[in-house]
Amino acid sequence: MQIFVNGQAHTVERDATVSDLLRELNLSDRPVVTELNGRALSPGDCSSTTLSEGSRLEIVILAAGG
């Protein structure tokens, strides 16, 4: 099924969770902030939140610096 990640079309398996997608994108071990369809997700929500056709996911990778 097709979703949008940071505005770009992306194909995922049906019943994929946000955590599944983060693993696929090699981001599961990085500090990220996720927003699904305009709603911020806590890290704990990612494993139980299922993506659906047309979902819009924004992923921001956090970086320390000064």
Side-chain angles (χ1 to χ4, degrees):
M1 84 181 147
Q2 187 166 1
I3 64 168
F4 296 89
V5 179
N6 294 349
Q8 301 291 318
H10 190 83
T11 302
V12 295
E13 297 291 324
R14 291 227 177 264
D15 298 323
T17 65
V18 174
S19 290
D20 293 335
L21 178 63
L22 292 174
R23 271 191 297 281
E24 180 183 324
L25 298 174
N26 295 317
L27 295 175
S28 60
D29 293 331
R30 305 219 21 219
V32 297
V33 175
T34 55
E35 180 181 277
L36 179 61
N37 299 324
R39 183 179 69 99
L41 298 175
S42 71
D45 289 338
C46 291
S47 61
S48 61
T49 301
T50 304
L51 299 165
S52 57
E53 182 72 34
S55 289
R56 294 189 173 276
L57 186 68
E58 295 295 323
I59 302 171
V60 177
I61 300 169
L62 302 178

